[in-house]
Amino acid sequence: MQIVADLLTATEQCGQEGIKVTSLLTQANLSHSRLAKFIENLTGAGLINKIEFDGKNTYVITPKGRQYLESYKRFHDLAQGFGLDL
């Protein structure tokens, strides 16, 4: 869940311009194959959208992705309030 939240946060911070795979790899500190699986799951769940331009993929967060991220942050804060580490 933390990796998903990190990927969504990185995508959200880039705004409407989106984020490229290379930047996601750097920020998430994942291998390319592992990141590809996460991206496939995130796009399949409708949390991010893939935009292809000049043969390059860019990813933008969807409203559903923002909602997931906000819910995760609230849950994370609540868990920390009870002294639980996620």
Side-chain angles (χ1 to χ4, degrees):
M1 285 180 30
Q2 183 63 47
I3 294 172
V4 169
D6 290 344
L7 292 171
L8 290 175
T9 299
T11 306
E12 182 180 48
Q13 289 173 346
C14 289
Q16 295 298 344
E17 296 84 39
I19 190 167
K20 293 187 177 13
V21 173
T22 309
S23 296
L24 274 174
L25 282 169
T26 303
Q27 292 186 26
N29 197 25
L30 295 172
S31 68
H32 189 273
S33 61
R34 190 151 184 230
L35 177 64
K37 290 177 187 175
F38 275 103
I39 287 175
E40 184 179 324
N41 289 336
L42 292 172
T43 54
L47 300 177
I48 60 173
N49 284 330
K50 177 171 79 168
I51 300 170
E52 292 184 43
F53 183 73
D54 286 341
K56 305 224 180 203
N57 294 328
T58 303
Y59 298 92
V60 292
I61 193 167
T62 64
K64 185 177 177 182
R66 283 188 185 91
Q67 183 180 13
Y68 175 92
L69 191 56
E70 184 60 36
S71 295
Y72 175 79
K73 287 177 183 177
R74 277 188 269 137
F75 174 74
H76 184 266
D77 292 344
L78 179 68
Q80 279 190 328
F82 283 100
L84 299 173
D85 288 329
L86 299 179

Coordinates of all heavy atoms in Angstrom, one line a residue:
M1 N 0.8 -1.2 0.0 CA 0.0 0.0 0.0 C 0.9 1.3 0.0 O 0.5 2.2 -0.6 CB -0.9 0.0 1.2 CG -2.1 -0.9 1.1 SD -3.3 -1.0 2.5 CE -3.3 0.5 3.2
Q2 N 2.0 1.2 0.7 CA 2.9 2.4 0.7 C 3.5 2.7 -0.6 O 3.6 3.8 -1.0 CB 4.0 2.2 1.8 CG 4.9 3.4 1.9 CD 4.2 4.6 2.4 OE1 3.4 4.5 3.4 NE2 4.4 5.7 1.8
I3 N 3.8 1.7 -1.4 CA 4.4 1.9 -2.7 C 3.3 2.5 -3.6 O 3.6 3.5 -4.4 CB 4.9 0.6 -3.3 CG1 6.1 0.1 -2.5 CG2 5.3 0.8 -4.8 CD1 6.6 -1.3 -2.9
V4 N 2.1 2.0 -3.6 CA 1.0 2.6 -4.3 C 0.8 4.1 -4.0 O 0.7 4.9 -4.8 CB -0.3 1.8 -4.1 CG1 -1.5 2.5 -4.8 CG2 -0.2 0.4 -4.7
A5 N 0.8 4.4 -2.7 CA 0.7 5.7 -2.2 C 1.8 6.6 -2.7 O 1.6 7.7 -3.2 CB 0.6 5.8 -0.7
D6 N 3.0 6.1 -2.7 CA 4.2 6.8 -3.2 C 4.1 7.1 -4.7 O 4.4 8.2 -5.1 CB 5.5 6.1 -2.9 CG 5.9 6.0 -1.5 OD1 5.3 6.8 -0.7 OD2 6.7 5.2 -1.1
L7 N 3.6 6.1 -5.5 CA 3.5 6.3 -6.9 C 2.4 7.3 -7.2 O 2.6 8.2 -8.1 CB 3.2 5.0 -7.6 CG 4.3 4.0 -7.6 CD1 3.8 2.6 -8.1 CD2 5.4 4.5 -8.5
L8 N 1.3 7.2 -6.5 CA 0.2 8.2 -6.7 C 0.6 9.6 -6.3 O 0.3 10.6 -6.9 CB -1.1 7.8 -5.9 CG -1.8 6.5 -6.5 CD1 -2.9 6.1 -5.6 CD2 -2.3 6.8 -7.9
T9 N 1.4 9.7 -5.2 CA 1.8 11.0 -4.7 C 2.7 11.7 -5.8 O 2.6 12.8 -6.1 CB 2.5 10.9 -3.4 OG1 1.6 10.4 -2.4 CG2 3.1 12.3 -2.9
A10 N 3.7 10.9 -6.3 CA 4.6 11.4 -7.3 C 3.8 11.8 -8.6 O 4.1 12.8 -9.2 CB 5.6 10.3 -7.7
T11 N 2.8 11.0 -8.9 CA 2.0 11.4 -10.1 C 1.2 12.6 -9.9 O 1.1 13.5 -10.7 CB 1.1 10.2 -10.5 OG1 1.9 9.0 -10.6 CG2 0.4 10.4 -11.8
E12 N 0.7 12.7 -8.7 CA -0.2 13.9 -8.3 C 0.7 15.2 -8.3 O 0.2 16.2 -8.8 CB -0.8 13.7 -7.0 CG -1.7 14.9 -6.6 CD -2.4 14.6 -5.3 OE1 -1.7 14.3 -4.3 OE2 -3.6 14.9 -5.2
Q13 N 1.9 15.1 -7.8 CA 2.8 16.3 -7.7 C 3.1 16.8 -9.1 O 3.5 18.0 -9.2 CB 4.0 15.9 -6.9 CG 3.7 15.7 -5.5 CD 5.0 15.2 -4.7 OE1 5.9 14.8 -5.3 NE2 4.9 15.3 -3.4
C14 N 3.1 16.0 -10.1 CA 3.4 16.5 -11.5 C 2.3 17.2 -12.2 O 2.4 17.7 -13.3 CB 4.0 15.3 -12.3 SG 5.6 14.8 -11.8
G15 N 1.1 17.1 -11.6 CA -0.1 17.8 -12.1 C -0.5 17.2 -13.5 O -0.4 16.1 -13.8
Q16 N -1.1 18.1 -14.3 CA -1.7 17.7 -15.5 C -0.6 17.4 -16.6 O -1.0 16.8 -17.6 CB -2.6 18.8 -16.1 CG -3.8 19.1 -15.2 CD -4.7 17.8 -15.1 OE1 -4.6 16.9 -15.9 NE2 -5.6 17.8 -14.1
E17 N 0.6 17.8 -16.4 CA 1.7 17.5 -17.3 C 2.0 16.0 -17.3 O 2.5 15.4 -18.2 CB 2.9 18.3 -17.0 CG 2.8 19.8 -17.2 CD 2.2 20.5 -16.0 OE1 2.6 20.1 -14.9 OE2 1.4 21.4 -16.2
G18 N 1.7 15.4 -16.1 CA 2.0 14.0 -15.9 C 3.4 13.7 -15.6 O 4.3 14.6 -15.5
I19 N 3.7 12.4 -15.4 CA 5.1 12.0 -15.0 C 5.5 10.9 -15.9 O 4.7 10.0 -16.3 CB 5.1 11.6 -13.5 CG1 6.5 11.3 -13.1 CG2 4.2 10.4 -13.3 CD1 6.7 11.2 -11.6
K20 N 6.7 10.9 -16.3 CA 7.3 9.8 -17.2 C 7.8 8.6 -16.4 O 8.0 8.8 -15.2 CB 8.4 10.4 -18.0 CG 7.9 11.4 -19.0 CD 9.0 11.9 -20.0 CE 8.5 12.8 -21.0 NZ 7.4 13.5 -21.0
V21 N 7.9 7.5 -17.0 CA 8.3 6.3 -16.3 C 9.7 6.5 -15.6 O 9.9 6.0 -14.5 CB 8.4 5.1 -17.4 CG1 9.0 3.9 -16.7 CG2 7.0 4.8 -17.9
T22 N 10.6 7.2 -16.3 CA 11.9 7.3 -15.7 C 11.9 8.1 -14.4 O 12.5 7.7 -13.4 CB 12.8 8.2 -16.6 OG1 12.8 7.6 -17.9 CG2 14.3 8.2 -16.2
S23 N 11.0 9.1 -14.3 CA 10.9 9.8 -13.0 C 10.2 8.9 -12.0 O 10.6 9.0 -10.8 CB 10.0 11.1 -13.2 OG 10.7 12.0 -14.1
L24 N 9.2 8.1 -12.4 CA 8.6 7.2 -11.4 C 9.6 6.2 -10.9 O 9.6 5.9 -9.7 CB 7.4 6.5 -12.1 CG 6.1 7.2 -12.1 CD1 5.0 6.4 -12.9 CD2 5.6 7.4 -10.7
L25 N 10.4 5.7 -11.8 CA 11.4 4.7 -11.4 C 12.3 5.3 -10.3 O 12.6 4.7 -9.3 CB 12.3 4.3 -12.6 CG 11.7 3.3 -13.5 CD1 12.5 3.2 -14.8 CD2 11.5 1.9 -12.8
T26 N 12.8 6.5 -10.5 CA 13.7 7.2 -9.6 C 13.0 7.5 -8.3 O 13.6 7.2 -7.2 CB 14.1 8.6 -10.2 OG1 14.7 8.3 -11.5 CG2 15.1 9.3 -9.3
Q27 N 11.8 8.0 -8.3 CA 11.1 8.4 -7.1 C 10.6 7.2 -6.3 O 10.6 7.2 -5.0 CB 9.9 9.3 -7.4 CG 10.4 10.7 -7.9 CD 9.3 11.6 -8.0 OE1 8.2 11.5 -7.4 NE2 9.5 12.6 -8.9
A28 N 10.2 6.1 -6.9 CA 9.7 4.9 -6.2 C 10.8 3.9 -5.9 O 10.6 3.0 -5.1 CB 8.7 4.2 -7.1
N29 N 12.0 4.1 -6.5 CA 13.1 3.2 -6.3 C 12.8 1.8 -6.5 O 13.0 0.9 -5.7 CB 13.7 3.4 -4.8 CG 15.1 2.9 -4.7 OD1 15.8 2.7 -5.7 ND2 15.4 2.5 -3.5
L30 N 12.2 1.5 -7.7 CA 11.8 0.2 -8.1 C 12.5 -0.2 -9.4 O 12.9 0.6 -10.1 CB 10.2 0.1 -8.3 CG 9.3 0.4 -7.2 CD1 7.9 0.5 -7.7 CD2 9.4 -0.7 -6.1
S31 N 12.5 -1.5 -9.6 CA 13.1 -2.0 -10.9 C 12.0 -1.7 -11.9 O 10.8 -1.6 -11.6 CB 13.4 -3.5 -10.8 OG 12.2 -4.2 -10.7
H32 N 12.4 -1.7 -13.2 CA 11.5 -1.4 -14.3 C 10.4 -2.5 -14.3 O 9.2 -2.1 -14.5 CB 12.2 -1.3 -15.6 CG 11.4 -0.8 -16.7 ND1 10.6 -1.7 -17.5 CD2 11.1 0.4 -17.2 CE1 9.9 -1.0 -18.3 NE2 10.2 0.3 -18.2
S33 N 10.7 -3.7 -14.2 CA 9.7 -4.8 -14.3 C 8.7 -4.7 -13.2 O 7.5 -4.9 -13.4 CB 10.4 -6.2 -14.3 OG 11.1 -6.4 -13.2
R34 N 9.2 -4.4 -12.0 CA 8.3 -4.3 -10.8 C 7.4 -3.0 -11.0 O 6.2 -3.1 -10.7 CB 9.1 -4.2 -9.5 CG 8.2 -4.3 -8.3 CD 8.9 -4.9 -7.1 NE 8.0 -5.1 -6.0 CZ 8.3 -4.7 -4.8 NH1 9.4 -4.1 -4.5 NH2 7.4 -4.8 -3.9
L35 N 7.9 -1.9 -11.4 CA 7.1 -0.7 -11.7 C 6.1 -1.0 -12.7 O 4.9 -0.5 -12.6 CB 8.0 0.4 -12.1 CG 7.3 1.7 -12.4 CD1 6.6 2.3 -11.2 CD2 8.3 2.8 -13.0
A36 N 6.4 -1.7 -13.8 CA 5.5 -2.0 -14.8 C 4.3 -2.7 -14.3 O 3.1 -2.5 -14.7 CB 6.2 -2.9 -15.9
K37 N 4.5 -3.7 -13.4 CA 3.3 -4.4 -12.7 C 2.5 -3.4 -11.9 O 1.2 -3.5 -12.0 CB 3.8 -5.5 -11.9 CG 4.5 -6.7 -12.6 CD 5.0 -7.7 -11.7 CE 5.8 -8.8 -12.5 NZ 6.4 -9.8 -11.7
F38 N 3.1 -2.5 -11.2 CA 2.3 -1.6 -10.4 C 1.5 -0.6 -11.3 O 0.4 -0.4 -11.1 CB 3.2 -0.7 -9.5 CG 3.5 -1.4 -8.2 CD1 4.8 -2.0 -7.9 CD2 2.6 -1.4 -7.2 CE1 5.0 -2.6 -6.7 CE2 2.9 -2.0 -6.0 CZ 4.1 -2.6 -5.7
I39 N 2.2 -0.2 -12.4 CA 1.5 0.7 -13.3 C 0.3 0.0 -14.0 O -0.8 0.6 -14.2 CB 2.5 1.2 -14.4 CG1 3.4 2.3 -13.8 CG2 1.7 1.8 -15.6 CD1 4.5 2.8 -14.7
E40 N 0.5 -1.3 -14.3 CA -0.6 -2.0 -14.9 C -1.8 -2.1 -14.0 O -2.9 -1.9 -14.4 CB -0.1 -3.4 -15.3 CG -1.1 -4.3 -16.0 CD -0.5 -5.7 -16.4 OE1 0.6 -5.7 -16.7 OE2 -1.3 -6.6 -16.3
N41 N -1.5 -2.4 -12.7 CA -2.5 -2.5 -11.7 C -3.2 -1.1 -11.5 O -4.4 -1.0 -11.3 CB -2.0 -3.0 -10.4 CG -1.6 -4.5 -10.4 OD1 -2.1 -5.2 -11.3 ND2 -0.7 -4.9 -9.6
L42 N -2.4 -0.1 -11.4 CA -3.0 1.3 -11.2 C -3.9 1.8 -12.3 O -4.9 2.3 -12.1 CB -1.9 2.3 -10.9 CG -1.1 2.1 -9.6 CD1 0.1 3.0 -9.5 CD2 -2.0 2.3 -8.4
T43 N -3.4 1.5 -13.5 CA -4.2 1.9 -14.7 C -5.5 1.0 -14.8 O -6.6 1.5 -15.1 CB -3.4 1.8 -16.0 OG1 -2.9 0.5 -16.2 CG2 -2.4 2.9 -16.1
G44 N -5.3 -0.3 -14.5 CA -6.5 -1.2 -14.5 C -7.5 -0.8 -13.5 O -8.7 -1.0 -13.7
A45 N -7.1 -0.3 -12.4 CA -8.0 0.1 -11.3 C -8.6 1.5 -11.5 O -9.4 2.0 -10.8 CB -7.3 0.1 -9.9
G46 N -8.1 2.2 -12.5 CA -8.5 3.5 -12.8 C -8.0 4.6 -11.9 O -8.5 5.7 -11.8
L47 N -6.8 4.3 -11.3 CA -6.2 5.3 -10.4 C -5.3 6.3 -11.1 O -5.1 7.4 -10.7 CB -5.5 4.6 -9.3 CG -6.3 3.7 -8.4 CD1 -5.5 3.0 -7.4 CD2 -7.5 4.5 -7.7
I48 N -4.7 5.8 -12.3 CA -3.9 6.7 -13.1 C -4.3 6.4 -14.6 O -4.8 5.3 -14.9 CB -2.4 6.5 -12.9 CG1 -1.9 5.1 -13.3 CG2 -1.9 6.9 -11.5 CD1 -0.4 4.9 -13.3
N49 N -4.0 7.4 -15.4 CA -4.2 7.2 -16.9 C -2.9 7.3 -17.6 O -2.1 8.1 -17.2 CB -5.2 8.3 -17.4 CG -6.6 8.1 -17.0 OD1 -7.1 6.9 -16.9 ND2 -7.4 9.2 -16.9
K50 N -2.8 6.5 -18.6 CA -1.6 6.5 -19.5 C -1.9 7.4 -20.7 O -2.9 7.2 -21.4 CB -1.2 5.1 -19.9 CG 0.0 5.1 -20.8 CD 0.5 3.7 -21.1 CE -0.3 2.9 -22.1 NZ 0.3 1.7 -22.5
I51 N -1.0 8.3 -21.0 CA -1.1 9.2 -22.2 C 0.1 8.9 -23.0 O 1.3 9.1 -22.5 CB -1.2 10.6 -21.8 CG1 -2.4 10.9 -20.9 CG2 -1.2 11.5 -23.0 CD1 -2.4 12.2 -20.3
E52 N -0.1 8.5 -24.2 CA 1.0 8.2 -25.2 C 1.2 9.5 -26.1 O 0.3 9.9 -26.7 CB 0.8 7.0 -26.0 CG 0.7 5.7 -25.2 CD 0.5 4.5 -26.1 OE1 1.2 4.4 -27.1 OE2 -0.2 3.6 -25.7
F53 N 2.5 10.0 -26.1 CA 2.8 11.1 -27.0 C 4.2 10.9 -27.5 O 5.1 10.7 -26.8 CB 2.7 12.4 -26.1 CG 2.9 13.6 -27.0 CD1 2.0 14.1 -27.8 CD2 4.1 14.3 -26.8 CE1 2.2 15.2 -28.6 CE2 4.3 15.5 -27.6 CZ 3.4 15.9 -28.5
D54 N 4.3 10.9 -28.9 CA 5.5 10.7 -29.6 C 6.2 9.4 -29.1 O 7.4 9.4 -28.9 CB 6.5 11.9 -29.4 CG 6.1 13.1 -30.2 OD1 5.3 12.9 -31.2 OD2 6.5 14.2 -29.9
G55 N 5.4 8.3 -28.9 CA 6.0 7.1 -28.5 C 6.4 7.0 -27.0 O 7.0 6.0 -26.6
K56 N 6.2 8.0 -26.3 CA 6.6 8.0 -24.8 C 5.3 8.0 -24.0 O 4.3 8.6 -24.3 CB 7.4 9.2 -24.5 CG 8.6 9.4 -25.4 CD 9.8 9.8 -24.6 CE 10.9 9.9 -25.6 NZ 12.2 9.8 -25.1
N57 N 5.4 7.3 -22.9 CA 4.2 7.2 -22.0 C 4.4 8.2 -20.8 O 5.4 8.3 -20.2 CB 4.1 5.8 -21.4 CG 3.8 4.8 -22.5 OD1 3.2 5.0 -23.4 ND2 4.3 3.5 -22.3
T58 N 3.3 8.9 -20.6 CA 3.2 9.8 -19.5 C 2.0 9.4 -18.7 O 1.0 8.9 -19.2 CB 3.0 11.2 -20.0 OG1 4.1 11.5 -20.8 CG2 3.0 12.2 -18.8
Y59 N 2.1 9.5 -17.3 CA 1.0 9.1 -16.5 C 0.4 10.2 -15.7 O 1.2 11.1 -15.1 CB 1.4 8.0 -15.5 CG 1.9 6.7 -16.3 CD1 3.2 6.6 -16.7 CD2 0.9 5.8 -16.7 CE1 3.6 5.5 -17.5 CE2 1.3 4.7 -17.5 CZ 2.6 4.5 -17.8 OH 3.0 3.4 -18.6
V60 N -0.9 10.3 -15.6 CA -1.6 11.4 -14.8 C -2.5 10.7 -13.8 O -3.1 9.7 -14.1 CB -2.3 12.4 -15.6 CG1 -1.3 13.2 -16.5 CG2 -3.3 11.7 -16.5
I61 N -2.7 11.3 -12.6 CA -3.6 10.7 -11.6 C -5.0 11.1 -12.0 O -5.3 12.1 -12.6 CB -3.2 11.3 -10.2 CG1 -3.9 10.5 -9.1 CG2 -3.4 12.8 -10.1 CD1 -3.4 10.7 -7.7
T62 N -5.9 10.2 -11.7 CA -7.3 10.4 -12.0 C -8.0 10.9 -10.7 O -7.4 10.8 -9.6 CB -8.0 9.1 -12.4 OG1 -7.9 8.2 -11.3 CG2 -7.3 8.5 -13.7
P63 N -9.3 11.4 -10.8 CA -10.0 11.8 -9.6 C -10.1 10.6 -8.6 O -10.1 10.7 -7.4 CB -11.4 12.2 -10.1 CG -11.1 12.7 -11.5 CD -10.0 11.8 -12.0
K64 N -10.3 9.4 -9.2 CA -10.4 8.2 -8.3 C -9.1 7.9 -7.6 O -9.0 7.6 -6.5 CB -10.8 7.0 -9.2 CG -11.0 5.7 -8.4 CD -11.4 4.6 -9.3 CE -11.6 3.3 -8.6 NZ -11.9 2.1 -9.5
G65 N -8.0 8.2 -8.3 CA -6.6 8.1 -7.7 C -6.4 9.1 -6.6 O -5.9 8.8 -5.5
R66 N -6.9 10.3 -6.8 CA -6.8 11.3 -5.7 C -7.7 10.9 -4.5 O -7.2 11.1 -3.4 CB -7.3 12.7 -6.2 CG -6.3 13.4 -7.1 CD -6.7 14.8 -7.4 NE -5.8 15.4 -8.4 CZ -5.9 15.3 -9.7 NH1 -6.9 14.7 -10.2 NH2 -5.0 15.9 -10.5
Q67 N -8.8 10.4 -4.8 CA -9.7 9.9 -3.7 C -9.0 8.8 -2.9 O -9.0 8.8 -1.7 CB -11.0 9.5 -4.2 CG -12.0 9.0 -3.2 CD -13.3 8.6 -3.8 OE1 -13.4 8.3 -5.0 NE2 -14.3 8.4 -3.0
Y68 N -8.4 7.8 -3.6 CA -7.7 6.7 -2.9 C -6.6 7.3 -2.1 O -6.4 6.9 -0.9 CB -7.1 5.8 -4.0 CG -6.3 4.7 -3.4 CD1 -6.8 3.5 -3.0 CD2 -4.9 4.9 -3.2 CE1 -6.0 2.5 -2.5 CE2 -4.1 3.9 -2.6 CZ -4.7 2.7 -2.3 OH -3.9 1.7 -1.7
L69 N -5.8 8.2 -2.6 CA -4.7 8.8 -1.9 C -5.1 9.5 -0.7 O -4.5 9.4 0.4 CB -3.9 9.7 -2.9 CG -2.5 10.2 -2.4 CD1 -1.6 9.0 -2.1 CD2 -1.9 11.1 -3.5
E70 N -6.2 10.3 -0.8 CA -6.7 11.0 0.4 C -7.2 10.0 1.5 O -6.9 10.2 2.7 CB -7.9 11.9 0.0 CG -8.4 12.8 1.1 CD -7.4 13.7 1.7 OE1 -6.5 14.2 1.0 OE2 -7.4 13.9 3.0
S71 N -7.9 9.0 1.1 CA -8.3 7.9 2.0 C -7.1 7.3 2.7 O -7.1 7.0 3.9 CB -9.2 6.9 1.3 OG -10.4 7.5 0.9
Y72 N -6.1 6.9 1.9 CA -4.9 6.3 2.4 C -4.2 7.2 3.5 O -3.8 6.8 4.5 CB -3.9 5.9 1.3 CG -2.6 5.4 1.9 CD1 -2.6 4.1 2.3 CD2 -1.5 6.2 2.1 CE1 -1.4 3.5 2.9 CE2 -0.3 5.7 2.6 CZ -0.3 4.4 3.0 OH 0.9 3.9 3.6
K73 N -4.1 8.5 3.2 CA -3.5 9.4 4.1 C -4.3 9.5 5.4 O -3.7 9.6 6.5 CB -3.4 10.8 3.4 CG -2.3 10.9 2.4 CD -2.3 12.3 1.7 CE -1.3 12.3 0.6 NZ -1.3 13.6 -0.1
R74 N -5.6 9.6 5.3 CA -6.4 9.6 6.5 C -6.2 8.3 7.4 O -6.0 8.3 8.6 CB -7.9 9.8 6.2 CG -8.2 11.2 6.0 CD -9.7 11.4 5.9 NE -10.0 11.3 4.4 CZ -11.0 10.7 3.9 NH1 -11.9 10.1 4.6 NH2 -11.2 10.6 2.6
F75 N -6.2 7.2 6.7 CA -6.0 5.9 7.4 C -4.6 5.8 8.0 O -4.4 5.4 9.1 CB -6.1 4.7 6.4 CG -5.8 3.4 7.0 CD1 -6.6 2.8 7.9 CD2 -4.6 2.8 6.6 CE1 -6.3 1.5 8.4 CE2 -4.3 1.5 7.2 CZ -5.1 0.9 8.1
H76 N -3.6 6.3 7.3 CA -2.2 6.3 7.8 C -2.1 7.2 9.0 O -1.5 6.8 10.0 CB -1.3 6.8 6.7 CG 0.2 6.8 7.0 ND1 0.8 7.9 7.6 CD2 1.1 5.8 7.0 CE1 2.1 7.5 7.8 NE2 2.3 6.3 7.5
D77 N -2.7 8.4 9.0 CA -2.7 9.3 10.1 C -3.4 8.7 11.3 O -2.9 8.8 12.5 CB -3.3 10.6 9.8 CG -2.5 11.4 8.8 OD1 -1.3 11.1 8.6 OD2 -3.0 12.4 8.2
L78 N -4.5 8.0 11.1 CA -5.2 7.4 12.2 C -4.4 6.2 12.8 O -4.3 6.1 14.0 CB -6.6 6.8 11.6 CG -7.4 6.0 12.6 CD1 -8.0 7.0 13.7 CD2 -8.6 5.3 11.9
A79 N -3.8 5.4 12.0 CA -2.9 4.3 12.5 C -1.8 4.9 13.3 O -1.4 4.3 14.3 CB -2.4 3.5 11.3
Q80 N -1.2 6.0 12.8 CA 0.0 6.6 13.6 C -0.5 7.1 14.9 O 0.2 7.1 15.9 CB 0.6 7.7 12.8 CG 1.6 7.1 11.8 CD 2.4 8.2 11.1 OE1 2.0 9.4 11.0 NE2 3.7 7.9 10.8
G81 N -1.8 7.6 14.9 CA -2.3 8.1 16.2 C -2.5 7.0 17.2 O -2.4 7.3 18.4
F82 N -2.6 5.8 16.8 CA -2.7 4.7 17.7 C -1.3 4.0 17.9 O -1.2 2.9 18.5 CB -3.7 3.6 17.2 CG -5.1 4.1 17.4 CD1 -5.9 4.6 16.4 CD2 -5.7 3.9 18.7 CE1 -7.2 5.0 16.6 CE2 -7.0 4.3 18.9 CZ -7.8 4.8 17.9
G83 N -0.3 4.6 17.3 CA 1.0 4.1 17.5 C 1.4 2.9 16.6 O 2.3 2.1 16.9
L84 N 0.6 2.7 15.5 CA 0.9 1.6 14.6 C 1.7 2.1 13.4 O 1.5 3.2 12.9 CB -0.4 1.1 14.1 CG -1.4 0.5 15.1 CD1 -2.7 0.2 14.4 CD2 -0.8 -0.7 15.8
D85 N 2.7 1.3 13.1 CA 3.5 1.6 11.9 C 3.0 0.8 10.7 O 2.9 -0.4 10.9 CB 5.0 1.3 12.2 CG 5.7 2.3 13.1 OD1 5.2 3.5 13.1 OD2 6.6 1.9 13.8
L86 N 2.8 1.4 9.6 CA 2.4 0.7 8.4 C 3.5 0.3 7.5 O 4.5 1.0 7.4 CB 1.3 1.5 7.7 CG 0.1 1.9 8.4 CD1 -0.8 2.8 7.6 CD2 -0.7 0.7 8.9

